[in-house]
Amino acid sequence: MATQAKRAPYAPQLRAENYTSREFARAENEHLWGKVWLVAGRVEELKNVGDFLTFNVATESIVVALGKDGLVAYHNVCPHRGRRLADGCGRASQFRCKYHGWTFNLDGKNVLVQDRDDWEGALDDERIDLWPVRVDTWGGFIWISMDMEGESLTEYLETIPEYLDPFELEEMRFRWKVELHLPVNWKVALEAFMEGYHVAATHPQLIKVAGNDYTQSFAQGKHANFGYWKDVQPLGTSSPRLAGNVYADAREGVIEFFRQIEEDLNAIQTDRDFEAAKKIMDVLPPDADAMTAMVTAIELGRQAAADDGTSYPEKLTFEAMAKAGSDWHIFPNCVTLPYFDGALWYRARPDSRDPENPDKCVFEIWSLKRYGPGKEPQVETRVITDPVNESVGLILDQDIANMAQVQAGMKSSRFQYARPNPVQEVEVINFHRTLERYVLGQARG
């Protein structure tokens, strides 16, 4: 009688040097950032002709502006002596170098060289315009690529639009923005949000109301996602890791879930969703089951959005949401967790003030929300340089508390490689395999 062959055990290993080596950081700067598509900002940040923003990554700085015919992007450097032209964000009809006054219009053309006759016409044969950078949009985000011959943004995103277009991220606007300067590698920061395997230990309060916290994760080309597809339990119920449901009244469990997400995270679901969820105490009987309570809360949130002058996305059915899962890593440096009328977006990168230092990064957190016409707030970025003493919110504080301890622990003489979970941490595994192909030319075994 034939026996079925068992699958060989899979125990992936990720080299510690990917996080701790200055040489690896230097190789990333040389072979990664200039070869990929990167999120530079949101379309909503550039509303009028002349509005611009700057995006710094590693040793590069890019300026993106809204020109007369749409978005334009350039290397943020004067071709005369190398001074950066723009800083931060603002509005300008021209970019003028503050060193010697060379000036460029929004088309990137040089319109003024001080004392140009000194070159006796030689500059006519030189490049004196700004170096262009490719720019495109998807999901309401501005994307740039410094590789002028590489794949298009559509090609680069692969299957992501198929899964995430139904969420209509382009219809969302900033709810709040935080920029953290952290003493960790940019990958350590990002990976804190690339798996759900950590939730039970890092966020024990969540497993009381977040249903079954067991995740499955899958590679999607260079990108990856995870979701809660195995033995699905409604939100508002307790994890099987606990002995029974914490809340005997399912309505209370659902409301507590929305409360934690709103008050302790302030992202993904919205304040509008939380207020709507509270109404299930009035419209459902005490013996309502958890699935009914959760679906009713969602539908009340849908009505609240309509009353507020917006809506839930028409194509975002429960089936489309289930297909997408809960979390996406968008290679190399973004992660998003989307919902009907909100989303959480993370962006990580080396600290451009010390780009070869593997122990420093800039980590940004953006909360997005659908607003009725003219109701979106004016949002300023909150900059945090001391996350130990300045809170972002309970859930994010719990995640951030792990990061410096991870970076320090990886430098132990006994720690040679990480051992990611081959089921629940595929986002992390696929990330490093793809990263190594860019940085080293091939993935390690």
Side-chain angles (χ1 to χ4, degrees), residues 28-59:
E28 286 178 339
N29 295 346
E30 182 177 355
H31 301 295
L32 174 67
W33 303 110
K35 300 295 184 181
V36 294
W37 282 91
L38 299 166
V39 169
R42 290 279 296 175
V43 173
E44 66 201 75
E45 295 180 87
L46 306 180
K47 298 178 181 178
N48 302 296
V49 173
D51 285 353
F52 72 87
L53 60 83
T54 56
F55 171 67
N56 300 333
V57 59
T59 58

mmCIF file of all heavy atoms in Angstrom, residues 28-59:
data_model
loop_
_atom_site.group_PDB
_atom_site.id
_atom_site.type_symbol
_atom_site.label_atom_id
_atom_site.label_comp_id
_atom_site.label_asym_id
_atom_site.label_seq_id
_atom_site.Cartn_x
_atom_site.Cartn_y
_atom_site.Cartn_z
ATOM 1 N N GLU A 28 22.457 48.315 -0.404
ATOM 2 C CA GLU A 28 21.071 48.725 -0.639
ATOM 3 C C GLU A 28 21.028 50.091 -1.305
ATOM 4 O O GLU A 28 20.272 50.310 -2.263
ATOM 5 C CB GLU A 28 20.307 48.790 0.690
ATOM 6 C CG GLU A 28 19.952 47.458 1.295
ATOM 7 C CD GLU A 28 19.242 47.596 2.619
ATOM 8 O OE1 GLU A 28 19.363 48.658 3.277
ATOM 9 O OE2 GLU A 28 18.550 46.640 3.024
ATOM 10 N N ASN A 29 21.819 51.011 -0.793
ATOM 11 C CA ASN A 29 21.836 52.362 -1.354
ATOM 12 C C ASN A 29 22.258 52.344 -2.818
ATOM 13 O O ASN A 29 21.762 53.130 -3.632
ATOM 14 C CB ASN A 29 22.779 53.255 -0.552
ATOM 15 C CG ASN A 29 22.310 53.472 0.880
ATOM 16 O OD1 ASN A 29 21.163 53.175 1.217
ATOM 17 N ND2 ASN A 29 23.202 53.964 1.735
ATOM 18 N N GLU A 30 23.143 51.436 -3.164
ATOM 19 C CA GLU A 30 23.678 51.386 -4.526
ATOM 20 C C GLU A 30 22.769 50.627 -5.479
ATOM 21 O O GLU A 30 22.619 51.021 -6.642
ATOM 22 C CB GLU A 30 25.058 50.731 -4.513
ATOM 23 C CG GLU A 30 25.726 50.680 -5.879
ATOM 24 C CD GLU A 30 27.126 50.097 -5.826
ATOM 25 O OE1 GLU A 30 27.633 49.814 -4.708
ATOM 26 O OE2 GLU A 30 27.734 49.912 -6.909
ATOM 27 N N HIS A 31 22.136 49.563 -5.004
ATOM 28 C CA HIS A 31 21.447 48.650 -5.919
ATOM 29 C C HIS A 31 19.934 48.574 -5.751
ATOM 30 O O HIS A 31 19.271 47.973 -6.594
ATOM 31 C CB HIS A 31 22.019 47.232 -5.761
ATOM 32 C CG HIS A 31 23.478 47.128 -6.041
ATOM 33 N ND1 HIS A 31 24.013 47.366 -7.286
ATOM 34 C CD2 HIS A 31 24.517 46.828 -5.219
ATOM 35 C CE1 HIS A 31 25.331 47.193 -7.244
ATOM 36 N NE2 HIS A 31 25.663 46.876 -6.005
ATOM 37 N N LEU A 32 19.388 49.147 -4.680
ATOM 38 C CA LEU A 32 17.951 49.006 -4.441
ATOM 39 C C LEU A 32 17.167 50.266 -4.768
ATOM 40 O O LEU A 32 16.318 50.277 -5.659
ATOM 41 C CB LEU A 32 17.687 48.621 -2.978
ATOM 42 C CG LEU A 32 16.209 48.573 -2.564
ATOM 43 C CD1 LEU A 32 15.491 47.426 -3.279
ATOM 44 C CD2 LEU A 32 16.054 48.446 -1.048
ATOM 45 N N TRP A 33 17.442 51.347 -4.040
ATOM 46 C CA TRP A 33 16.546 52.500 -4.061
ATOM 47 C C TRP A 33 16.409 53.138 -5.431
ATOM 48 O O TRP A 33 15.335 53.650 -5.776
ATOM 49 C CB TRP A 33 17.007 53.538 -3.034
ATOM 50 C CG TRP A 33 17.077 52.965 -1.651
ATOM 51 C CD1 TRP A 33 18.203 52.711 -0.926
ATOM 52 C CD2 TRP A 33 15.985 52.539 -0.833
ATOM 53 N NE1 TRP A 33 17.880 52.162 0.299
ATOM 54 C CE2 TRP A 33 16.531 52.042 0.374
ATOM 55 C CE3 TRP A 33 14.599 52.534 -1.006
ATOM 56 C CZ2 TRP A 33 15.725 51.536 1.397
ATOM 57 C CZ3 TRP A 33 13.805 52.039 0.016
ATOM 58 C CH2 TRP A 33 14.365 51.543 1.200
ATOM 59 N N GLY A 34 17.461 53.095 -6.229
ATOM 60 C CA GLY A 34 17.396 53.680 -7.562
ATOM 61 C C GLY A 34 16.772 52.778 -8.604
ATOM 62 O O GLY A 34 16.619 53.174 -9.761
ATOM 63 N N LYS A 35 16.372 51.550 -8.217
ATOM 64 C CA LYS A 35 15.875 50.575 -9.183
ATOM 65 C C LYS A 35 14.401 50.216 -8.986
ATOM 66 O O LYS A 35 13.875 49.397 -9.742
ATOM 67 C CB LYS A 35 16.702 49.288 -9.077
ATOM 68 C CG LYS A 35 18.192 49.478 -9.354
ATOM 69 C CD LYS A 35 18.449 49.910 -10.786
ATOM 70 C CE LYS A 35 19.935 50.012 -11.076
ATOM 71 N NZ LYS A 35 20.196 50.460 -12.473
ATOM 72 N N VAL A 36 13.752 50.800 -8.001
ATOM 73 C CA VAL A 36 12.376 50.416 -7.679
ATOM 74 C C VAL A 36 11.462 51.636 -7.757
ATOM 75 O O VAL A 36 11.917 52.774 -7.876
ATOM 76 C CB VAL A 36 12.311 49.804 -6.262
ATOM 77 C CG1 VAL A 36 13.070 48.486 -6.206
ATOM 78 C CG2 VAL A 36 12.850 50.774 -5.203
ATOM 79 N N TRP A 37 10.168 51.370 -7.684
ATOM 80 C CA TRP A 37 9.180 52.445 -7.557
ATOM 81 C C TRP A 37 8.931 52.704 -6.073
ATOM 82 O O TRP A 37 8.760 51.755 -5.294
ATOM 83 C CB TRP A 37 7.872 52.070 -8.254
ATOM 84 C CG TRP A 37 7.934 52.229 -9.746
ATOM 85 C CD1 TRP A 37 8.304 51.272 -10.656
ATOM 86 C CD2 TRP A 37 7.612 53.400 -10.500
ATOM 87 N NE1 TRP A 37 8.236 51.777 -11.934
ATOM 88 C CE2 TRP A 37 7.811 53.087 -11.873
ATOM 89 C CE3 TRP A 37 7.183 54.679 -10.161
ATOM 90 C CZ2 TRP A 37 7.585 54.009 -12.893
ATOM 91 C CZ3 TRP A 37 6.950 55.605 -11.182
ATOM 92 C CH2 TRP A 37 7.153 55.269 -12.524
ATOM 93 N N LEU A 38 8.928 53.964 -5.691
ATOM 94 C CA LEU A 38 8.806 54.363 -4.288
ATOM 95 C C LEU A 38 7.680 55.374 -4.124
ATOM 96 O O LEU A 38 7.449 56.224 -4.996
ATOM 97 C CB LEU A 38 10.115 54.996 -3.803
ATOM 98 C CG LEU A 38 11.359 54.101 -3.840
ATOM 99 C CD1 LEU A 38 12.620 54.946 -3.672
ATOM 100 C CD2 LEU A 38 11.278 53.035 -2.759
ATOM 101 N N VAL A 39 6.990 55.294 -3.000
ATOM 102 C CA VAL A 39 5.951 56.280 -2.679
ATOM 103 C C VAL A 39 6.628 57.549 -2.180
ATOM 104 O O VAL A 39 7.322 57.540 -1.159
ATOM 105 C CB VAL A 39 4.982 55.738 -1.617
ATOM 106 C CG1 VAL A 39 4.078 56.856 -1.102
ATOM 107 C CG2 VAL A 39 4.143 54.606 -2.196
ATOM 108 N N ALA A 40 6.421 58.646 -2.920
ATOM 109 C CA ALA A 40 6.996 59.935 -2.530
ATOM 110 C C ALA A 40 6.025 60.763 -1.702
ATOM 111 O O ALA A 40 6.445 61.633 -0.935
ATOM 112 C CB ALA A 40 7.420 60.723 -3.764
ATOM 113 N N GLY A 41 4.731 60.519 -1.847
ATOM 114 C CA GLY A 41 3.730 61.291 -1.112
ATOM 115 C C GLY A 41 2.349 60.959 -1.617
ATOM 116 O O GLY A 41 2.134 59.958 -2.313
ATOM 117 N N ARG A 42 1.392 61.804 -1.285
ATOM 118 C CA ARG A 42 0.012 61.649 -1.707
ATOM 119 C C ARG A 42 -0.345 62.724 -2.720
ATOM 120 O O ARG A 42 0.116 63.865 -2.645
ATOM 121 C CB ARG A 42 -0.939 61.777 -0.512
ATOM 122 C CG ARG A 42 -0.892 60.633 0.472
ATOM 123 C CD ARG A 42 -1.690 59.436 0.024
ATOM 124 N NE ARG A 42 -3.120 59.705 -0.084
ATOM 125 C CZ ARG A 42 -3.996 58.808 -0.562
ATOM 126 N NH1 ARG A 42 -3.580 57.619 -0.985
ATOM 127 N NH2 ARG A 42 -5.285 59.111 -0.645
ATOM 128 N N VAL A 43 -1.203 62.373 -3.667
ATOM 129 C CA VAL A 43 -1.645 63.317 -4.690
ATOM 130 C C VAL A 43 -2.281 64.544 -4.041
ATOM 131 O O VAL A 43 -2.109 65.674 -4.523
ATOM 132 C CB VAL A 43 -2.629 62.625 -5.652
ATOM 133 C CG1 VAL A 43 -3.241 63.642 -6.619
ATOM 134 C CG2 VAL A 43 -1.940 61.501 -6.412
ATOM 135 N N GLU A 44 -2.988 64.349 -2.949
ATOM 136 C CA GLU A 44 -3.679 65.461 -2.294
ATOM 137 C C GLU A 44 -2.728 66.522 -1.768
ATOM 138 O O GLU A 44 -3.145 67.646 -1.474
ATOM 139 C CB GLU A 44 -4.525 64.935 -1.139
ATOM 140 C CG GLU A 44 -3.713 64.348 0.001
ATOM 141 C CD GLU A 44 -4.501 63.392 0.880
ATOM 142 O OE1 GLU A 44 -4.759 62.267 0.449
ATOM 143 O OE2 GLU A 44 -4.849 63.798 2.004
ATOM 144 N N GLU A 45 -1.445 66.201 -1.645
ATOM 145 C CA GLU A 45 -0.474 67.173 -1.146
ATOM 146 C C GLU A 45 -0.112 68.217 -2.195
ATOM 147 O O GLU A 45 0.430 69.266 -1.854
ATOM 148 C CB GLU A 45 0.786 66.450 -0.678
ATOM 149 C CG GLU A 45 0.571 65.532 0.509
ATOM 150 C CD GLU A 45 1.834 64.841 0.950
ATOM 151 O OE1 GLU A 45 2.583 65.425 1.768
ATOM 152 O OE2 GLU A 45 2.092 63.712 0.472
ATOM 153 N N LEU A 46 -0.378 67.937 -3.470
ATOM 154 C CA LEU A 46 -0.038 68.859 -4.549
ATOM 155 C C LEU A 46 -1.327 69.237 -5.284
ATOM 156 O O LEU A 46 -1.727 68.582 -6.231
ATOM 157 C CB LEU A 46 0.970 68.204 -5.513
ATOM 158 C CG LEU A 46 2.252 67.655 -4.860
ATOM 159 C CD1 LEU A 46 3.166 67.043 -5.909
ATOM 160 C CD2 LEU A 46 2.977 68.749 -4.083
ATOM 161 N N LYS A 47 -1.962 70.302 -4.827
ATOM 162 C CA LYS A 47 -3.276 70.671 -5.335
ATOM 163 C C LYS A 47 -3.216 71.726 -6.424
ATOM 164 O O LYS A 47 -4.085 71.783 -7.292
ATOM 165 C CB LYS A 47 -4.152 71.174 -4.182
ATOM 166 C CG LYS A 47 -4.410 70.138 -3.103
ATOM 167 C CD LYS A 47 -5.240 70.731 -1.971
ATOM 168 C CE LYS A 47 -5.499 69.705 -0.871
ATOM 169 N NZ LYS A 47 -6.273 70.277 0.268
ATOM 170 N N ASN A 48 -2.209 72.618 -6.348
ATOM 171 C CA ASN A 48 -2.141 73.748 -7.270
ATOM 172 C C ASN A 48 -0.827 73.713 -8.042
ATOM 173 O O ASN A 48 0.190 73.190 -7.549
ATOM 174 C CB ASN A 48 -2.229 75.067 -6.501
ATOM 175 C CG ASN A 48 -3.508 75.158 -5.668
ATOM 176 O OD1 ASN A 48 -4.610 75.182 -6.209
ATOM 177 N ND2 ASN A 48 -3.360 75.187 -4.349
ATOM 178 N N VAL A 49 -0.840 74.286 -9.235
ATOM 179 C CA VAL A 49 0.385 74.354 -10.036
ATOM 180 C C VAL A 49 1.476 75.054 -9.231
ATOM 181 O O VAL A 49 1.254 76.135 -8.664
ATOM 182 C CB VAL A 49 0.134 75.102 -11.361
ATOM 183 C CG1 VAL A 49 1.451 75.332 -12.107
ATOM 184 C CG2 VAL A 49 -0.829 74.298 -12.242
ATOM 185 N N GLY A 50 2.625 74.431 -9.146
ATOM 186 C CA GLY A 50 3.738 74.971 -8.386
ATOM 187 C C GLY A 50 3.904 74.337 -7.012
ATOM 188 O O GLY A 50 4.964 74.476 -6.387
ATOM 189 N N ASP A 51 2.872 73.641 -6.519
ATOM 190 C CA ASP A 51 3.024 72.917 -5.251
ATOM 191 C C ASP A 51 4.093 71.841 -5.424
ATOM 192 O O ASP A 51 4.129 71.141 -6.450
ATOM 193 C CB ASP A 51 1.703 72.260 -4.845
ATOM 194 C CG ASP A 51 0.688 73.255 -4.321
ATOM 195 O OD1 ASP A 51 1.044 74.437 -4.146
ATOM 196 O OD2 ASP A 51 -0.469 72.857 -4.101
ATOM 197 N N PHE A 52 4.953 71.694 -4.425
ATOM 198 C CA PHE A 52 6.011 70.686 -4.523
ATOM 199 C C PHE A 52 6.236 70.019 -3.177
ATOM 200 O O PHE A 52 5.861 70.532 -2.122
ATOM 201 C CB PHE A 52 7.320 71.312 -5.027
ATOM 202 C CG PHE A 52 8.020 72.190 -4.019
ATOM 203 C CD1 PHE A 52 8.918 71.657 -3.091
ATOM 204 C CD2 PHE A 52 7.782 73.565 -3.984
ATOM 205 C CE1 PHE A 52 9.553 72.465 -2.157
ATOM 206 C CE2 PHE A 52 8.416 74.380 -3.056
ATOM 207 C CZ PHE A 52 9.303 73.822 -2.136
ATOM 208 N N LEU A 53 6.837 68.840 -3.225
ATOM 209 C CA LEU A 53 7.313 68.153 -2.032
ATOM 210 C C LEU A 53 8.656 67.524 -2.363
ATOM 211 O O LEU A 53 8.978 67.295 -3.538
ATOM 212 C CB LEU A 53 6.300 67.101 -1.555
ATOM 213 C CG LEU A 53 5.925 65.954 -2.499
ATOM 214 C CD1 LEU A 53 6.934 64.809 -2.462
ATOM 215 C CD2 LEU A 53 4.542 65.406 -2.148
ATOM 216 N N THR A 54 9.448 67.279 -1.332
ATOM 217 C CA THR A 54 10.721 66.598 -1.527
ATOM 218 C C THR A 54 10.670 65.249 -0.823
ATOM 219 O O THR A 54 10.016 65.087 0.206
ATOM 220 C CB THR A 54 11.898 67.415 -0.984
ATOM 221 O OG1 THR A 54 11.678 67.730 0.404
ATOM 222 C CG2 THR A 54 12.060 68.703 -1.767
ATOM 223 N N PHE A 55 11.361 64.302 -1.416
ATOM 224 C CA PHE A 55 11.424 62.951 -0.883
ATOM 225 C C PHE A 55 12.882 62.515 -0.868
ATOM 226 O O PHE A 55 13.532 62.472 -1.914
ATOM 227 C CB PHE A 55 10.592 62.001 -1.755
ATOM 228 C CG PHE A 55 10.762 60.543 -1.410
ATOM 229 C CD1 PHE A 55 10.317 60.048 -0.203
ATOM 230 C CD2 PHE A 55 11.373 59.684 -2.298
ATOM 231 C CE1 PHE A 55 10.472 58.701 0.113
ATOM 232 C CE2 PHE A 55 11.535 58.334 -1.997
ATOM 233 C CZ PHE A 55 11.075 57.847 -0.783
ATOM 234 N N ASN A 56 13.393 62.234 0.332
ATOM 235 C CA ASN A 56 14.786 61.822 0.495
ATOM 236 C C ASN A 56 14.846 60.349 0.860
ATOM 237 O O ASN A 56 14.114 59.889 1.742
ATOM 238 C CB ASN A 56 15.472 62.643 1.588
ATOM 239 C CG ASN A 56 15.469 64.129 1.290
ATOM 240 O OD1 ASN A 56 15.427 64.552 0.129
ATOM 241 N ND2 ASN A 56 15.495 64.944 2.328
ATOM 242 N N VAL A 57 15.719 59.621 0.196
ATOM 243 C CA VAL A 57 15.945 58.228 0.533
ATOM 244 C C VAL A 57 17.416 57.914 0.300
ATOM 245 O O VAL A 57 17.958 58.183 -0.768
ATOM 246 C CB VAL A 57 15.045 57.278 -0.285
ATOM 247 C CG1 VAL A 57 15.257 57.433 -1.786
ATOM 248 C CG2 VAL A 57 15.242 55.835 0.144
ATOM 249 N N ALA A 58 18.060 57.384 1.333
ATOM 250 C CA ALA A 58 19.498 57.089 1.276
ATOM 251 C C ALA A 58 20.241 58.366 0.877
ATOM 252 O O ALA A 58 20.086 59.392 1.515
ATOM 253 C CB ALA A 58 19.762 55.931 0.329
ATOM 254 N N THR A 59 21.016 58.322 -0.204
ATOM 255 C CA THR A 59 21.789 59.494 -0.615
ATOM 256 C C THR A 59 21.058 60.343 -1.651
ATOM 257 O O THR A 59 21.599 61.360 -2.102
ATOM 258 C CB THR A 59 23.136 59.052 -1.208
ATOM 259 O OG1 THR A 59 22.900 58.178 -2.326
ATOM 260 C CG2 THR A 59 23.973 58.312 -0.173
#
